[in-house]
Amino acid sequence: MLVQLNRSTGHRDFSATATDLPLNPASLPVSAGPRPVVAVLGPAGRVAGLAQHLPTGWSVRTAGDLDDVSADDLVLFSGPAVRDIALARRLLPSRTQVIALVDDAAPAELVAGVLTAGADACVRGGQPAILASHLVACRRRQMAGRWAQLNHQDRQ
């Protein structure tokens, strides 16, 4: 089915299969808004190679605590406890994306716990390329939520 959609020669502006939509954040122009920041809470050694796998313009920084986090940051907890995620959800704005990075051998109860406590994503292991793809997906959801909110406000 995807092959058939891609074979279409008709020009479809702003449709789900349009080829001219800027879906890849790396292809956006330099002036396309604020650059994403990944604020890491916890041991930074687990995410040492992450910056090389993120799109151009993204930055990774270590945050001392939740007071060092901006509302637009992607908050990456390295080795969190469920209470860490619950506290972040209580203190940070709802638009802030919270990602939990757990060990490969983390029990299912921990994964379920951090997701139930409010994490937007939970990633097992620390492979930088996989973690980066989860962060990019969270950023897309964050931006899509903002656009949906603007659209909703215009209707009222």
Side-chain angles (χ1 to χ4, degrees), residues 48-130:
L50 178 62
Q52 291 87 14
H53 294 278
L54 291 170
T56 305
W58 285 50
S59 61
V60 178
R61 67 178 180 81
T62 302
D65 58 14
L66 290 174
D67 291 334
D68 294 341
V69 174
S70 168
D72 293 325
D73 289 351
L74 296 166
V75 181
L76 175 62
F77 279 92
S78 177
V82 173
R83 68 180 176 277
D84 297 332
I85 302 296
L87 179 64
R89 263 301 145 222
R90 277 197 312 271
L91 297 178
L92 297 173
S94 62
R95 71 176 189 242
T96 303
Q97 295 284 303
V98 176
I99 300 94
L101 174 62
V102 298
D103 293 330
D104 283 331
E109 292 80 19
L110 176 62
V111 173
V114 296
L115 290 171
T116 302
D120 295 292
C122 182
V123 182
R124 283 184 183 260
Q127 296 176 345
I130 293 172

